[in-house]
Amino acid sequence: MQNEKATTLMDRRQFFPRQVVEAGANRWDWALLPLVLGLLVLLAYGAAQMARPFELGDPLPLSLDPSHLPYYLLRTNLRMLAAMVLALLFSAVFAVLAAKVRAAEKVLVPMLDILQSIPILGFLSITVTGFIALFPGNLLGVECAAIFAIFTSQAWNMAFSLYQSLRTVPSELDEAARVFQLSNWQRFWRLELPFAMPGLLWNMMMSMSGGWFFVVASEAISVSNQNIKLPGVGSYIAMAIEARDLGAIGWAILGMLAGILIYDQLLFRPLVAWADKFRFEDSGTDTAPDSWMLTWLRRTALTRRIAAWTVDRLEHSLVWFRRHHDGTSIRARPRIPGTAWTRVWDAVVAAAVMVALYQLIRFVHSEVGWHEAGHVLLLGCLTLVRVMVLIALAALVWVPVGIWIGMNPRWSGRLQAVAQFLAAFPANLLFPVAVVLIVRWKLNPDIWLSPLMIFGTQWYLLFNVIAGASNIPAELRHAARNLGLSGWLKWRRYLLPAVFPSFVTGAITASGGSWNASIVAEYVSWGDTTLQAHGLGSYIAEMTAKGDFPRIALGIGVMCIFVMSLNHFVWRRLYRLAEDRMHL
């Protein structure tokens, strides 16, 4: 009887493909299915709403009713996710070219300094018209402009973090890659990207928070007397500020907190827990980060099959792009670039710089005048003083805190979402407090508006220091403990040198972010009340509101000059010093 039942079961299985018969789903797959289907439905609905018909000048229906906040949160999250994917692709291409090609590094690194110094309003004033013309009669053009604006607040930090990691690969790992004759493709996937993964993830979280910080400017677009408010949390905040509605601002804070928690639990915390295996140390940490979402995914049969298929495809690519010669071949010898080609490339770069300077001088002489240029330079000096003082104060506070969090993984996991929320908190939401206090106590806006500049950018320092401290090898920690290092000697000989490269990376991005944040921090509005501090940021904000493109270009150009000079004479020298210490 049992044999007959088995024969009948085998006969039934013959009607199904082998993959269907063997691909049995477990209970974790069925539990995950509603979440996946719900996310797909939300993505499809949000994408359809982002591509609806639209003509410039048509008002978009927006309301301060809190019941609309979930829909606004969906639209904002879709924009930030799209911008994050683009920023990852840009960072990978930029970091590899800048770290591997010396000629490209001479152009790309200064270009990154320029790009991160251009304020988000500058990108919007230049790109909005082009994106609208690219998609006529459709809202997708304005959506692309908003996504690009958010991208500009995320990409530069991630790109420089990955570039710094590729340049500071430990010498023993570099030697091992040469011994095993890894090709450039194999080296990137086997060594460089895994080594850079912990720091890159922390900077991804910082970049996502930076996108939240500038979400008001990216969704509530005001260029050339044209006001376009896209449905989103940023436009909701802008409307609440205009209406002086404190209740709506409170709801916006709750909505923003919900969005940050969603990203933290569903994306960043699983990635941080997964990337813990890439730490550069011989022994694991005492407390490894964990994630309920990652545990859930690992228990599902379908996710394991997808992961195995992805790893299999990647391993096949490692075979396809392997080296076809061994270390004894002539082709294995390092190629020294020709002196002639290097000089030609340097001459081309110098000529391009000279042409740019000539065009800048011509523009100033014909469009704005030298008196206006001198006035803008003076405003740039005032903003420079604010940036340097605030970066120094932020370093004194957050470097010790970041080291403590990074060296205590248990607290690192608990404070991760809190740090993301604080980093994402837009300075616009502090406008009511700042305006009321300054007006009531008759304070000087030039001094008391300055903290708004560092409020959103000080977290670059904190996140990078946390990433650097969490990557300190366990054997170095044990050695410091066995030697009995304590007090100032411990900080000077062990802790500060260990996080110095990460601190410099954070200082560079924090500096650029502070210049960008000066746009919203030096020109503050709360209802009908406007406070303005003397500085380059308020100048650009005022000219952008008026639609004066020549003066917008002048302000952006002067800001680029200040940022590049600061990076070259201060941060870049510190970065080279940090790089040399990593290769000792």
Side-chain angles (χ1 to χ4, degrees), residues 181-206:
Q181 291 295 300
L182 298 182
S183 64
N184 290 332
W185 181 259
Q186 292 172 330
R187 179 186 173 92
F188 178 77
W189 289 104
R190 292 290 193 186
L191 170 61
E192 294 169 339
L193 186 60
F195 174 76
M197 188 63 68
L200 179 61
L201 286 178
W202 278 102
N203 279 278
M204 283 176 60
M205 289 186 282
M206 183 65 248

PDB file of all heavy atoms in Angstrom, residues 181-206:
ATOM      1  N   GLN A 181      48.396  37.870  -7.454  1.00  0.00           N
ATOM      2  CA  GLN A 181      48.243  38.318  -8.834  1.00  0.00           C
ATOM      3  C   GLN A 181      46.781  38.631  -9.175  1.00  0.00           C
ATOM      4  O   GLN A 181      46.240  38.181 -10.196  1.00  0.00           O
ATOM      5  CB  GLN A 181      48.793  37.259  -9.793  1.00  0.00           C
ATOM      6  CG  GLN A 181      50.296  37.094  -9.756  1.00  0.00           C
ATOM      7  CD  GLN A 181      51.023  38.348 -10.230  1.00  0.00           C
ATOM      8  OE1 GLN A 181      50.834  38.788 -11.369  1.00  0.00           O
ATOM      9  NE2 GLN A 181      51.832  38.933  -9.378  1.00  0.00           N
ATOM     10  N   LEU A 182      46.123  39.397  -8.304  1.00  0.00           N
ATOM     11  CA  LEU A 182      44.741  39.776  -8.561  1.00  0.00           C
ATOM     12  C   LEU A 182      44.675  40.844  -9.649  1.00  0.00           C
ATOM     13  O   LEU A 182      45.492  41.776  -9.671  1.00  0.00           O
ATOM     14  CB  LEU A 182      44.085  40.320  -7.282  1.00  0.00           C
ATOM     15  CG  LEU A 182      43.972  39.363  -6.094  1.00  0.00           C
ATOM     16  CD1 LEU A 182      43.250  40.057  -4.949  1.00  0.00           C
ATOM     17  CD2 LEU A 182      43.257  38.088  -6.470  1.00  0.00           C
ATOM     18  N   SER A 183      43.715  40.683 -10.549  1.00  0.00           N
ATOM     19  CA  SER A 183      43.482  41.722 -11.544  1.00  0.00           C
ATOM     20  C   SER A 183      42.796  42.912 -10.875  1.00  0.00           C
ATOM     21  O   SER A 183      42.372  42.842  -9.716  1.00  0.00           O
ATOM     22  CB  SER A 183      42.612  41.177 -12.685  1.00  0.00           C
ATOM     23  OG  SER A 183      41.327  40.833 -12.207  1.00  0.00           O
ATOM     24  N   ASN A 184      42.662  44.005 -11.624  1.00  0.00           N
ATOM     25  CA  ASN A 184      42.020  45.191 -11.045  1.00  0.00           C
ATOM     26  C   ASN A 184      40.573  44.906 -10.652  1.00  0.00           C
ATOM     27  O   ASN A 184      40.088  45.380  -9.619  1.00  0.00           O
ATOM     28  CB  ASN A 184      42.074  46.350 -12.048  1.00  0.00           C
ATOM     29  CG  ASN A 184      43.475  46.884 -12.241  1.00  0.00           C
ATOM     30  OD1 ASN A 184      44.308  46.807 -11.326  1.00  0.00           O
ATOM     31  ND2 ASN A 184      43.766  47.423 -13.410  1.00  0.00           N
ATOM     32  N   TRP A 185      39.859  44.133 -11.473  1.00  0.00           N
ATOM     33  CA  TRP A 185      38.484  43.767 -11.167  1.00  0.00           C
ATOM     34  C   TRP A 185      38.417  42.901  -9.912  1.00  0.00           C
ATOM     35  O   TRP A 185      37.597  43.119  -9.036  1.00  0.00           O
ATOM     36  CB  TRP A 185      37.869  43.053 -12.362  1.00  0.00           C
ATOM     37  CG  TRP A 185      36.445  42.638 -12.195  1.00  0.00           C
ATOM     38  CD1 TRP A 185      35.984  41.395 -11.901  1.00  0.00           C
ATOM     39  CD2 TRP A 185      35.279  43.473 -12.320  1.00  0.00           C
ATOM     40  NE1 TRP A 185      34.616  41.388 -11.829  1.00  0.00           N
ATOM     41  CE2 TRP A 185      34.147  42.646 -12.084  1.00  0.00           C
ATOM     42  CE3 TRP A 185      35.076  44.822 -12.603  1.00  0.00           C
ATOM     43  CZ2 TRP A 185      32.853  43.143 -12.129  1.00  0.00           C
ATOM     44  CZ3 TRP A 185      33.779  45.307 -12.650  1.00  0.00           C
ATOM     45  CH2 TRP A 185      32.692  44.484 -12.413  1.00  0.00           C
ATOM     46  N   GLN A 186      39.283  41.885  -9.829  1.00  0.00           N
ATOM     47  CA  GLN A 186      39.310  41.013  -8.654  1.00  0.00           C
ATOM     48  C   GLN A 186      39.743  41.774  -7.406  1.00  0.00           C
ATOM     49  O   GLN A 186      39.215  41.540  -6.311  1.00  0.00           O
ATOM     50  CB  GLN A 186      40.260  39.838  -8.910  1.00  0.00           C
ATOM     51  CG  GLN A 186      39.777  38.873  -9.977  1.00  0.00           C
ATOM     52  CD  GLN A 186      40.828  37.843 -10.334  1.00  0.00           C
ATOM     53  OE1 GLN A 186      42.030  38.114 -10.245  1.00  0.00           O
ATOM     54  NE2 GLN A 186      40.393  36.665 -10.740  1.00  0.00           N
ATOM     55  N   ARG A 187      40.696  42.670  -7.572  1.00  0.00           N
ATOM     56  CA  ARG A 187      41.184  43.442  -6.431  1.00  0.00           C
ATOM     57  C   ARG A 187      40.075  44.314  -5.854  1.00  0.00           C
ATOM     58  O   ARG A 187      39.939  44.435  -4.640  1.00  0.00           O
ATOM     59  CB  ARG A 187      42.370  44.299  -6.873  1.00  0.00           C
ATOM     60  CG  ARG A 187      42.954  45.177  -5.762  1.00  0.00           C
ATOM     61  CD  ARG A 187      44.017  46.093  -6.332  1.00  0.00           C
ATOM     62  NE  ARG A 187      44.465  47.036  -5.326  1.00  0.00           N
ATOM     63  CZ  ARG A 187      45.505  46.835  -4.501  1.00  0.00           C
ATOM     64  NH1 ARG A 187      46.198  45.714  -4.596  1.00  0.00           N
ATOM     65  NH2 ARG A 187      45.848  47.743  -3.612  1.00  0.00           N
ATOM     66  N   PHE A 188      39.250  44.911  -6.728  1.00  0.00           N
ATOM     67  CA  PHE A 188      38.179  45.782  -6.259  1.00  0.00           C
ATOM     68  C   PHE A 188      37.154  44.989  -5.463  1.00  0.00           C
ATOM     69  O   PHE A 188      36.738  45.411  -4.372  1.00  0.00           O
ATOM     70  CB  PHE A 188      37.507  46.480  -7.448  1.00  0.00           C
ATOM     71  CG  PHE A 188      36.350  47.355  -7.062  1.00  0.00           C
ATOM     72  CD1 PHE A 188      36.570  48.610  -6.509  1.00  0.00           C
ATOM     73  CD2 PHE A 188      35.036  46.930  -7.244  1.00  0.00           C
ATOM     74  CE1 PHE A 188      35.505  49.420  -6.142  1.00  0.00           C
ATOM     75  CE2 PHE A 188      33.966  47.735  -6.887  1.00  0.00           C
ATOM     76  CZ  PHE A 188      34.205  48.979  -6.334  1.00  0.00           C
ATOM     77  N   TRP A 189      36.729  43.828  -5.952  1.00  0.00           N
ATOM     78  CA  TRP A 189      35.665  43.065  -5.296  1.00  0.00           C
ATOM     79  C   TRP A 189      36.183  42.225  -4.137  1.00  0.00           C
ATOM     80  O   TRP A 189      35.434  41.960  -3.187  1.00  0.00           O
ATOM     81  CB  TRP A 189      34.964  42.164  -6.306  1.00  0.00           C
ATOM     82  CG  TRP A 189      34.126  42.915  -7.282  1.00  0.00           C
ATOM     83  CD1 TRP A 189      34.417  43.187  -8.580  1.00  0.00           C
ATOM     84  CD2 TRP A 189      32.847  43.523  -7.029  1.00  0.00           C
ATOM     85  NE1 TRP A 189      33.409  43.915  -9.162  1.00  0.00           N
ATOM     86  CE2 TRP A 189      32.429  44.135  -8.226  1.00  0.00           C
ATOM     87  CE3 TRP A 189      32.016  43.601  -5.918  1.00  0.00           C
ATOM     88  CZ2 TRP A 189      31.219  44.814  -8.334  1.00  0.00           C
ATOM     89  CZ3 TRP A 189      30.808  44.270  -6.023  1.00  0.00           C
ATOM     90  CH2 TRP A 189      30.421  44.865  -7.216  1.00  0.00           C
ATOM     91  N   ARG A 190      37.432  41.773  -4.213  1.00  0.00           N
ATOM     92  CA  ARG A 190      37.973  40.908  -3.169  1.00  0.00           C
ATOM     93  C   ARG A 190      38.637  41.672  -2.029  1.00  0.00           C
ATOM     94  O   ARG A 190      38.667  41.188  -0.891  1.00  0.00           O
ATOM     95  CB  ARG A 190      39.004  39.944  -3.782  1.00  0.00           C
ATOM     96  CG  ARG A 190      38.445  38.905  -4.717  1.00  0.00           C
ATOM     97  CD  ARG A 190      37.636  37.872  -3.961  1.00  0.00           C
ATOM     98  NE  ARG A 190      37.344  36.706  -4.795  1.00  0.00           N
ATOM     99  CZ  ARG A 190      36.552  35.717  -4.420  1.00  0.00           C
ATOM    100  NH1 ARG A 190      35.983  35.752  -3.230  1.00  0.00           N
ATOM    101  NH2 ARG A 190      36.310  34.702  -5.220  1.00  0.00           N
ATOM    102  N   LEU A 191      39.167  42.848  -2.317  1.00  0.00           N
ATOM    103  CA  LEU A 191      39.951  43.556  -1.308  1.00  0.00           C
ATOM    104  C   LEU A 191      39.411  44.950  -1.014  1.00  0.00           C
ATOM    105  O   LEU A 191      39.038  45.259   0.120  1.00  0.00           O
ATOM    106  CB  LEU A 191      41.416  43.642  -1.752  1.00  0.00           C
ATOM    107  CG  LEU A 191      42.334  44.556  -0.921  1.00  0.00           C
ATOM    108  CD1 LEU A 191      42.392  44.082   0.521  1.00  0.00           C
ATOM    109  CD2 LEU A 191      43.720  44.614  -1.534  1.00  0.00           C
ATOM    110  N   GLU A 192      39.351  45.791  -2.034  1.00  0.00           N
ATOM    111  CA  GLU A 192      39.126  47.215  -1.803  1.00  0.00           C
ATOM    112  C   GLU A 192      37.700  47.515  -1.330  1.00  0.00           C
ATOM    113  O   GLU A 192      37.505  48.240  -0.347  1.00  0.00           O
ATOM    114  CB  GLU A 192      39.452  47.995  -3.073  1.00  0.00           C
ATOM    115  CG  GLU A 192      40.932  47.944  -3.429  1.00  0.00           C
ATOM    116  CD  GLU A 192      41.227  48.485  -4.804  1.00  0.00           C
ATOM    117  OE1 GLU A 192      40.301  48.528  -5.630  1.00  0.00           O
ATOM    118  OE2 GLU A 192      42.390  48.849  -5.060  1.00  0.00           O
ATOM    119  N   LEU A 193      36.704  46.977  -2.024  1.00  0.00           N
ATOM    120  CA  LEU A 193      35.327  47.244  -1.603  1.00  0.00           C
ATOM    121  C   LEU A 193      35.008  46.635  -0.242  1.00  0.00           C
ATOM    122  O   LEU A 193      34.391  47.315   0.595  1.00  0.00           O
ATOM    123  CB  LEU A 193      34.345  46.741  -2.668  1.00  0.00           C
ATOM    124  CG  LEU A 193      32.878  47.083  -2.410  1.00  0.00           C
ATOM    125  CD1 LEU A 193      32.678  48.593  -2.341  1.00  0.00           C
ATOM    126  CD2 LEU A 193      31.983  46.474  -3.495  1.00  0.00           C
ATOM    127  N   PRO A 194      35.405  45.370   0.054  1.00  0.00           N
ATOM    128  CA  PRO A 194      35.171  44.868   1.419  1.00  0.00           C
ATOM    129  C   PRO A 194      35.873  45.701   2.493  1.00  0.00           C
ATOM    130  O   PRO A 194      35.305  45.937   3.566  1.00  0.00           O
ATOM    131  CB  PRO A 194      35.734  43.444   1.368  1.00  0.00           C
ATOM    132  CG  PRO A 194      35.606  43.043  -0.057  1.00  0.00           C
ATOM    133  CD  PRO A 194      35.870  44.295  -0.836  1.00  0.00           C
ATOM    134  N   PHE A 195      37.116  46.155   2.221  1.00  0.00           N
ATOM    135  CA  PHE A 195      37.813  46.983   3.199  1.00  0.00           C
ATOM    136  C   PHE A 195      37.100  48.310   3.420  1.00  0.00           C
ATOM    137  O   PHE A 195      37.040  48.827   4.544  1.00  0.00           O
ATOM    138  CB  PHE A 195      39.252  47.223   2.736  1.00  0.00           C
ATOM    139  CG  PHE A 195      40.020  48.188   3.592  1.00  0.00           C
ATOM    140  CD1 PHE A 195      40.507  47.800   4.835  1.00  0.00           C
ATOM    141  CD2 PHE A 195      40.238  49.492   3.171  1.00  0.00           C
ATOM    142  CE1 PHE A 195      41.205  48.698   5.637  1.00  0.00           C
ATOM    143  CE2 PHE A 195      40.943  50.384   3.964  1.00  0.00           C
ATOM    144  CZ  PHE A 195      41.422  49.983   5.201  1.00  0.00           C
ATOM    145  N   ALA A 196      36.531  48.876   2.343  1.00  0.00           N
ATOM    146  CA  ALA A 196      35.871  50.180   2.438  1.00  0.00           C
ATOM    147  C   ALA A 196      34.434  50.080   2.919  1.00  0.00           C
ATOM    148  O   ALA A 196      33.823  51.112   3.224  1.00  0.00           O
ATOM    149  CB  ALA A 196      35.895  50.875   1.074  1.00  0.00           C
ATOM    150  N   MET A 197      33.873  48.877   3.003  1.00  0.00           N
ATOM    151  CA  MET A 197      32.443  48.732   3.255  1.00  0.00           C
ATOM    152  C   MET A 197      31.981  49.347   4.584  1.00  0.00           C
ATOM    153  O   MET A 197      30.982  50.082   4.610  1.00  0.00           O
ATOM    154  CB  MET A 197      32.057  47.251   3.198  1.00  0.00           C
ATOM    155  CG  MET A 197      30.565  47.008   3.259  1.00  0.00           C
ATOM    156  SD  MET A 197      29.685  47.720   1.854  1.00  0.00           S
ATOM    157  CE  MET A 197      30.287  46.670   0.532  1.00  0.00           C
ATOM    158  N   PRO A 198      32.639  49.093   5.737  1.00  0.00           N
ATOM    159  CA  PRO A 198      32.139  49.697   6.984  1.00  0.00           C
ATOM    160  C   PRO A 198      32.086  51.219   6.937  1.00  0.00           C
ATOM    161  O   PRO A 198      31.070  51.830   7.309  1.00  0.00           O
ATOM    162  CB  PRO A 198      33.129  49.189   8.041  1.00  0.00           C
ATOM    163  CG  PRO A 198      33.683  47.919   7.464  1.00  0.00           C
ATOM    164  CD  PRO A 198      33.769  48.169   5.999  1.00  0.00           C
ATOM    165  N   GLY A 199      33.167  51.851   6.490  1.00  0.00           N
ATOM    166  CA  GLY A 199      33.159  53.304   6.401  1.00  0.00           C
ATOM    167  C   GLY A 199      32.168  53.822   5.378  1.00  0.00           C
ATOM    168  O   GLY A 199      31.526  54.857   5.587  1.00  0.00           O
ATOM    169  N   LEU A 200      32.019  53.105   4.257  1.00  0.00           N
ATOM    170  CA  LEU A 200      31.070  53.535   3.232  1.00  0.00           C
ATOM    171  C   LEU A 200      29.644  53.491   3.744  1.00  0.00           C
ATOM    172  O   LEU A 200      28.833  54.385   3.453  1.00  0.00           O
ATOM    173  CB  LEU A 200      31.215  52.654   1.988  1.00  0.00           C
ATOM    174  CG  LEU A 200      30.272  52.954   0.826  1.00  0.00           C
ATOM    175  CD1 LEU A 200      30.486  54.365   0.304  1.00  0.00           C
ATOM    176  CD2 LEU A 200      30.442  51.933  -0.294  1.00  0.00           C
ATOM    177  N   LEU A 201      29.306  52.471   4.530  1.00  0.00           N
ATOM    178  CA  LEU A 201      27.946  52.371   5.059  1.00  0.00           C
ATOM    179  C   LEU A 201      27.640  53.510   6.030  1.00  0.00           C
ATOM    180  O   LEU A 201      26.546  54.081   6.004  1.00  0.00           O
ATOM    181  CB  LEU A 201      27.755  51.016   5.748  1.00  0.00           C
ATOM    182  CG  LEU A 201      27.628  49.813   4.814  1.00  0.00           C
ATOM    183  CD1 LEU A 201      27.505  48.530   5.612  1.00  0.00           C
ATOM    184  CD2 LEU A 201      26.423  49.979   3.890  1.00  0.00           C
ATOM    185  N   TRP A 202      28.598  53.833   6.895  1.00  0.00           N
ATOM    186  CA  TRP A 202      28.367  54.955   7.811  1.00  0.00           C
ATOM    187  C   TRP A 202      28.198  56.261   7.042  1.00  0.00           C
ATOM    188  O   TRP A 202      27.384  57.115   7.396  1.00  0.00           O
ATOM    189  CB  TRP A 202      29.508  55.061   8.815  1.00  0.00           C
ATOM    190  CG  TRP A 202      29.363  54.130   9.973  1.00  0.00           C
ATOM    191  CD1 TRP A 202      30.010  52.946  10.160  1.00  0.00           C
ATOM    192  CD2 TRP A 202      28.497  54.281  11.093  1.00  0.00           C
ATOM    193  NE1 TRP A 202      29.606  52.356  11.331  1.00  0.00           N
ATOM    194  CE2 TRP A 202      28.672  53.150  11.930  1.00  0.00           C
ATOM    195  CE3 TRP A 202      27.592  55.253  11.493  1.00  0.00           C
ATOM    196  CZ2 TRP A 202      27.988  52.985  13.112  1.00  0.00           C
ATOM    197  CZ3 TRP A 202      26.902  55.099  12.675  1.00  0.00           C
ATOM    198  CH2 TRP A 202      27.103  53.971  13.478  1.00  0.00           C
ATOM    199  N   ASN A 203      28.956  56.425   5.960  1.00  0.00           N
ATOM    200  CA  ASN A 203      28.804  57.636   5.169  1.00  0.00           C
ATOM    201  C   ASN A 203      27.533  57.611   4.332  1.00  0.00           C
ATOM    202  O   ASN A 203      26.993  58.676   4.002  1.00  0.00           O
ATOM    203  CB  ASN A 203      30.031  57.823   4.273  1.00  0.00           C
ATOM    204  CG  ASN A 203      31.203  58.428   5.011  1.00  0.00           C
ATOM    205  OD1 ASN A 203      31.280  59.636   5.191  1.00  0.00           O
ATOM    206  ND2 ASN A 203      32.122  57.584   5.459  1.00  0.00           N
ATOM    207  N   MET A 204      27.047  56.433   3.971  1.00  0.00           N
ATOM    208  CA  MET A 204      25.733  56.345   3.334  1.00  0.00           C
ATOM    209  C   MET A 204      24.641  56.833   4.283  1.00  0.00           C
ATOM    210  O   MET A 204      23.731  57.566   3.875  1.00  0.00           O
ATOM    211  CB  MET A 204      25.449  54.907   2.901  1.00  0.00           C
ATOM    212  CG  MET A 204      26.164  54.460   1.651  1.00  0.00           C
ATOM    213  SD  MET A 204      25.839  52.704   1.283  1.00  0.00           S
ATOM    214  CE  MET A 204      24.052  52.724   1.088  1.00  0.00           C
ATOM    215  N   MET A 205      24.742  56.431   5.543  1.00  0.00           N
ATOM    216  CA  MET A 205      23.766  56.911   6.525  1.00  0.00           C
ATOM    217  C   MET A 205      23.871  58.421   6.693  1.00  0.00           C
ATOM    218  O   MET A 205      22.858  59.125   6.797  1.00  0.00           O
ATOM    219  CB  MET A 205      23.989  56.206   7.865  1.00  0.00           C
ATOM    220  CG  MET A 205      23.593  54.743   7.866  1.00  0.00           C
ATOM    221  SD  MET A 205      23.688  53.977   9.503  1.00  0.00           S
ATOM    222  CE  MET A 205      25.447  53.715   9.640  1.00  0.00           C
ATOM    223  N   MET A 206      25.103  58.930   6.714  1.00  0.00           N
ATOM    224  CA  MET A 206      25.292  60.369   6.835  1.00  0.00           C
ATOM    225  C   MET A 206      24.750  61.091   5.605  1.00  0.00           C
ATOM    226  O   MET A 206      24.127  62.157   5.713  1.00  0.00           O
ATOM    227  CB  MET A 206      26.788  60.665   7.005  1.00  0.00           C
ATOM    228  CG  MET A 206      27.115  62.139   7.210  1.00  0.00           C
ATOM    229  SD  MET A 206      26.457  62.822   8.730  1.00  0.00           S
ATOM    230  CE  MET A 206      25.233  63.950   8.107  1.00  0.00           C
TER     231      MET A 206
END
